[in-house]
Amino acid sequence: MCSFFCIFLLVFLSFWAIKSCNARIFTSYIHHRFSGSVKNWSETSRSKFFAGNWPEKGSVEFYSQLASHDHFLRYRRRRLSESQDLPLTFSDGNATFRISSLGFLHYTMVSLGTPAMKFMVALDTGSDLFWVPCDCSKCAPLEATPQDSNFELSIYTPIRSSTSKKVTCGNSFCAQRNSCGMLDDCPYSVSYVSSETSTSGILMEDVLHFKTEDGNREAVETYVTFGCGQVQTGSFLDVAAPDGLFGLGLEKISVPSILSNEGYTANSFSMCFRQDGNGRIDFGDKGSLDQEETPFNMEQLHPSYNITLTQIRVGTTLINLNFPALFDSGTSFTYLINPAYTRLTESFHSQIQDKRRASDPRIPFEYCYDMSPGRSTSLIPSMRLTMKGGGQLAVIDPIVIISTPSEQVYCLAVIRSAELSIIGQNFMTGYRIVFDREDRVLGWKRPIRGKRFEQLSSNVSELH
């Protein structure tokens, strides 16, 4: 008996040790497109980054601009679905069309090279390549920044980094390796379907600097393959990603895939958002044993973070449905196709006591109501999503409150979609969302208020 137990214990400890080898978690802080930190940097840098109107949070203009951002994303997805000839995998010298939003919603600071250079890159779960402006022929313009500015746009220069390496056509990441010289530089080109937006250049390797998420905060340098973006066009020259883009997709060239394949982290990452849209991303985080989960739908030509909804509860009404939806943190609001949209909104409306407002072309939501004096948002019907496998997500705040000088209006923050259902950031707020690429599941759990939560609250207010 003891012999059997000892063998079992030895096997268990060996398995635990193997899993612990890549149990490190690397953390970066996420900054919302309209956050105070990004606004402060944009104003002090005097760059063209996000130049122009900066809407007041909670105003009609604020929600209108976010919905306009979402419109670009949905338009590109429709164009891709209609264009069967468009390549969706790396080919022709790493040329690829990727589903992505231009005018991104979230940004994070990364340090690349030796000595390290900082880049404020857009986060994108709809694409895979990490790229930065580099040896530019045509990039976003750099303008003079004051000495006390927190940050300025950067351009990566390979010869100034002692750890930089060019990726040749013989590298497994280079799709052109069968038609170019083994020692030639490997070219890449990523074209976005609308807005004539693209990035092109050559693939490089260099160290990306992380710190582990533990008491020691160990500094770790990891080699990653990324795009040396020499030519940018369209929206990449101003509002979209003037300082680069960080793809979080499922392909092997994405940074999460590289970190896992090199044994640095588990093949997973999590994102956690506060009410103001800021948050954190933890590479290597597989969540917890008690989290809710649902499997990804992996049958697409280009796999994405797509799940299946089976049921929606709105207040006292239970709606049985079965339809796929994309979990996309880069989309501000939630979009549903029919019949899901109609059944959800009609159920919501039937349980609201306040007067519904007439349609307003400035407001992207159909179901808006005058907020009665003394009314509380606790009278809003609750909402709960059930996913394939039985996992349930209670939507913490399904409405937005729009303020005007004379009144307050609240709207159900769900928008009708003609072609694709998307669970947007507004339904993810208040959760740690785990994109477990190893087990091919999406996980979620409300974070426990404590040291980790307070650290998030204190750190996201500044650029890192």
Side-chain angles (χ1 to χ4, degrees):
M1 182 69 179
C2 178
S3 176
F4 173 80
F5 176 78
C6 291
I7 293 174
F8 172 80
L9 183 63
L10 181 62
V11 171
F12 174 80
L13 291 176
S14 299
F15 174 78
W16 179 86
I18 292 172
K19 293 291 284 184
S20 298
C21 287
N22 61 359
R24 288 178 293 186
I25 295 176
F26 301 151
T27 297
S28 292
Y29 294 98
I30 298 172
H31 304 277
H32 189 270
R33 162 72 172 83
F34 290 140
S35 67
S37 53
V38 174
K39 179 180 180 182
N40 178 65
W41 171 80
S42 180
E43 290 174 345
T44 59
S45 69
R46 297 204 303 265
S47 74
K48 292 185 178 180
F49 191 39
F50 300 153
N53 179 42
W54 202 284
E56 181 180 351
K57 185 176 181 181
S59 66
V60 172
E61 291 76 15
F62 178 84
Y63 293 115
S64 178
Q65 285 201 30
L66 289 179
S68 295
H69 149 271
D70 292 347
H71 172 75
F72 281 115
L73 172 64
R74 294 185 297 119
Y75 172 74
R76 270 181 295 282
R77 293 185 190 280
R78 177 171 58 82
R79 284 284 304 278
L80 280 169
S81 65
E82 292 172 353
S83 303
Q84 300 299 320
D85 295 333
L86 294 179
L88 289 175
T89 56
F90 284 114
S91 62
D92 298 330
N94 283 4
T96 180
F97 287 89
R98 281 293 179 254
I99 304 171
S100 180
S101 70
L102 304 178
F104 293 88
L105 195 62
H106 298 108
Y107 297 79
T108 193
M109 195 73 75
V110 298
S111 296
L112 178 68
T114 308
M117 292 188 66
K118 287 186 176 181
F119 296 85
M120 189 174 175
V121 293
L123 293 172
D124 184 20
T125 56
S127 65
D128 303 288
L129 185 67
F130 164 43
W131 64 266
V132 296
C134 163
D135 280 353
C136 289
S137 298
K138 187 179 181 182
C139 299
L142 297 183
E143 297 195 6
T145 58
Q147 292 184 354
D148 61 350
S149 174
N150 290 327
F151 182 71
E152 62 183 45
L153 292 176
S154 301
I155 291 181
Y156 176 86
T157 304
I159 61 173
R160 293 183 180 177
S161 175
S162 62
T163 47
S164 68
K165 304 175 183 177
K166 289 186 176 181
V167 173
T168 65
C169 291
N171 191 290
S172 62
F173 282 128
C174 184
Q176 192 75 356
R177 60 185 178 275
N178 294 328
S179 56
C180 62
M182 291 287 288
L183 300 180
D184 292 341
D185 297 340
C186 177
Y188 85 88
S189 177
V190 181
S191 298
Y192 295 76
V193 173
S194 66
S195 303
E196 297 182 350
T197 295
S198 67
T199 174
S200 59
I202 61 172
L203 294 183
M204 299 285 302
E205 287 185 1
D206 210 337
V207 293
L208 199 58
H209 302 265
F210 291 99
K211 287 187 178 179
T212 57
E213 176 58 25
D214 55 29
N216 297 325
R217 297 288 289 171
E218 175 192 0
V220 178
E221 297 179 350
T222 67
Y223 266 99
V224 298
T225 299
F226 66 98
C228 168
Q230 299 165 335
V231 178
Q232 272 59 259
T233 65
S235 294
F236 283 150
L237 296 176
D238 42 59
V239 299
D243 215 31
L245 185 144
F246 201 99
L248 295 168
L250 289 158
E251 298 287 354
K252 68 177 183 178
I253 201 168
S254 72
V255 171
S257 296
I258 294 172
L259 292 176
S260 170
N261 291 337
E262 295 299 320
Y264 289 107
T265 67
N267 190 12
S268 183
F269 67 89
S270 68
M271 303 179 83
C272 188
F273 299 103
R274 300 189 317 182
Q275 287 290 95
D276 60 6
N278 291 328
R280 64 189 285 161
I281 180 169
D282 290 334
F283 297 99
D285 183 13
K286 286 179 64 70
S288 57
L289 293 175
D290 59 344
Q291 70 184 7
E292 300 280 351
E293 290 183 346
T294 188
F296 290 128
N297 300 323
M298 303 302 296
E299 64 272 12
Q300 303 103 322
L301 178 62
H302 178 62
S304 60
Y305 301 117
N306 188 290
I307 53 88
T308 297
L309 277 80
T310 59
Q311 194 177 80
I312 303 175
R313 178 182 289 275
V314 182
T316 58
T317 303
L318 195 62
I319 305 170
N320 291 311
L321 295 160
N322 193 294
F323 65 97
L326 186 70
F327 246 77
D328 183 16
S329 62
T331 300
S332 306
F333 307 116
T334 292
Y335 294 76
L336 296 178
I337 60 173
N338 274 327
Y341 175 81
T342 298
R343 295 183 64 181
L344 181 147
T345 52
E346 290 181 351
S347 176
F348 180 86
H349 177 65
S350 69
Q351 299 176 60
I352 294 293
Q353 300 178 20
D354 294 317
K355 179 183 177 181
R356 183 179 175 187
R357 290 177 62 90
S359 176
D360 186 335
R362 300 173 302 162
I363 299 176
F365 313 109
E366 282 190 81
Y367 287 81
C368 295
Y369 306 85
D370 292 319
M371 184 172 287
S372 301
R375 283 290 177 95
S376 167
T377 55
S378 63
L379 298 177
I380 303 299
S382 61
M383 191 173 297
R384 184 182 299 271
L385 310 180
T386 301
M387 321 291 184
K388 183 178 180 180
Q392 296 186 339
L393 186 149
V395 180
I396 295 172
D397 196 359
I399 67 168
V400 297
I401 297 176
I402 302 175
S403 299
T404 69
S406 59
E407 59 186 343
Q408 282 193 322
V409 176
Y410 66 91
C411 303
L412 174 62
V414 178
I415 299 175
R416 184 195 306 269
S417 174
E419 64 281 335
L420 179 69
S421 292
I422 302 173
I423 306 302
Q425 185 216 304
N426 66 321
F427 276 25
M428 302 183 205
T429 297
Y431 284 91
R432 176 174 61 168
I433 306 295
V434 179
F435 297 83
D436 189 337
R437 303 133 58 88
E438 181 177 356
D439 295 332
R440 300 300 174 98
V441 297
L442 180 83
W444 62 92
K445 182 182 177 182
R446 293 286 299 274
I448 299 173
R449 291 188 68 92
K451 182 177 180 181
R452 183 172 176 173
F453 183 89
E454 298 303 329
Q455 182 186 20
L456 166 62
S457 299
S458 63
N459 284 335
V460 294
S461 61
E462 298 180 2
L463 291 176
H464 291 258

